[in-house]
């Protein structure tokens, strides 16, 4: 459940940042510039020039089937919306240097995703032995703490970006 909230948060941040880019109030990333939109939606946009609602609705529809929980998908999505993955990992998992923070962050996200998939898709059982894995209170608290660190780092990075744009 906690990781589902992280996924939802990344979806919401994605919509927020992309709409801000579209409206010109957030710096556009290279990935944004190559973001593909079907012609049907482009025609809708042309027909309703006075509103950006079509874009928000499209993002809602498009992202509804995406899952942003693997380390690569989190990295790609954050980079799309102008929140550098490296900066987020450095804040979330402070280490001796950026490369170490990236390594730790990717490993944490990969482990969270792996365990989530085991719980959701395998009834938290090992494929090899069919034994169910125990979940302790300490494990859950650590899991939630890591997710909070990631969310707080994304939020802090986004706020810094907004502040830089205002200054």
């Amino acid at each position: 459940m906690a990781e589902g909230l992280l996924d939802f948060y990344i979806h919401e941040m994605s919509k927020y940042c992309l709409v801000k880019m579209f409206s010109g109030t957030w710096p556009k990333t290279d990935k944004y510039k190559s973001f593909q939109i079907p012609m049907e939606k482009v025609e809708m946009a042309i027909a309703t020039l006075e509103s950006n609602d079509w874009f928000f609705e499209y993002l809602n529809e498009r992202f509804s089937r995406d899952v942003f929980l693997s380390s690569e998908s989190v990295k790609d999505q954050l980079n799309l919306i102008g929140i550098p993955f490296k900066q987020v990992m450095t804040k979330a998992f402070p280490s001796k240097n950026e490369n170490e923070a990236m390594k730790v962050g990717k490993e944490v996200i990969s482990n969270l995703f792996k365990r989530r998939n085991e719980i959701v898709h395998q009834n938290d059982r090992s494929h090899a032995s069919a034994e169910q894995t125990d979940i302790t209170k300490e494990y859950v608290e650590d899991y939630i703490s890591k997710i909070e660190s990631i969310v707080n780092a994304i939020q802090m990075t986004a706020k810094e970006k907004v502040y830089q744009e205002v200054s």
Side-chain angles (χ1 to χ4, degrees):
M1 185 174 84
E3 200 159 1
L5 293 172
L6 171 62
D7 185 52
F8 180 75
Y9 175 77
I10 293 173
H11 278 82
E12 294 302 299
M13 282 300 293
S14 296
K15 292 183 289 188
Y16 173 80
C17 294
L18 289 169
V19 168
K20 299 283 272 174
M21 285 181 201
F22 185 76
S23 66
T25 58
W26 187 275
K28 293 175 171 73
T29 64
D30 288 339
K31 288 181 180 268
Y32 168 85
K33 292 173 187 174
S34 63
F35 190 74
Q36 295 185 1
I37 299 175
M39 286 305 296
E40 173 186 41
K41 301 301 179 184
V42 172
E43 290 172 357
M44 185 185 301
I46 293 168
T48 59
L49 288 175
E50 69 284 346
S51 173
N52 290 341
D53 290 347
W54 70 270
F55 186 57
F56 183 78
E57 289 170 16
Y58 171 69
L59 293 174
N60 253 339
E61 178 186 318
R62 163 117 182 239
F63 292 147
S64 69
R65 52 189 177 268
D66 293 338
V67 177
F68 305 128
L69 295 177
S70 71
S71 63
E72 278 307 304
S73 66
V74 171
K75 178 183 172 188
D76 289 346
Q77 195 63 20
L78 291 179
N79 289 335
L80 165 66
I81 64 175
I83 297 177
F85 182 76
K86 182 182 273 191
Q87 195 173 346
V88 169
M89 291 303 104
T90 301
K91 285 182 171 96
F93 306 105
S95 299
K96 59 184 175 189
N97 60 47
E98 282 185 344
N99 288 337
E100 183 65 24
M102 285 279 289
K103 181 179 172 191
V104 169
K106 283 181 178 182
E107 185 176 317
V108 164
I109 292 170
S110 293
N111 289 338
L112 292 172
F113 187 53
K114 179 179 181 269
R115 184 66 190 272
R116 176 219 176 252
N117 284 344
E118 290 169 354
I119 292 168
V120 172
H121 300 294
Q122 298 164 213
N123 194 29
D124 207 14
R125 295 181 184 276
S126 162
H127 274 300
S129 68
E131 286 186 40
Q132 197 166 30
T133 307
D134 287 332
I135 298 177
T136 64
K137 179 181 178 184
E138 293 78 21
Y139 178 83
V140 172
E141 288 172 346
D142 181 56
Y143 195 100
I144 291 171
S145 173
K146 288 172 179 168
I147 290 172
E148 284 178 342
S149 292
I150 294 166
V151 168
N152 289 336
I154 293 169
Q155 192 72 21
M156 193 182 324
T157 303
K159 283 182 179 180
E160 289 169 1
K161 189 171 196 95
V162 168
Y163 180 74
Q164 288 171 354
E165 294 305 311
V166 173
S167 300

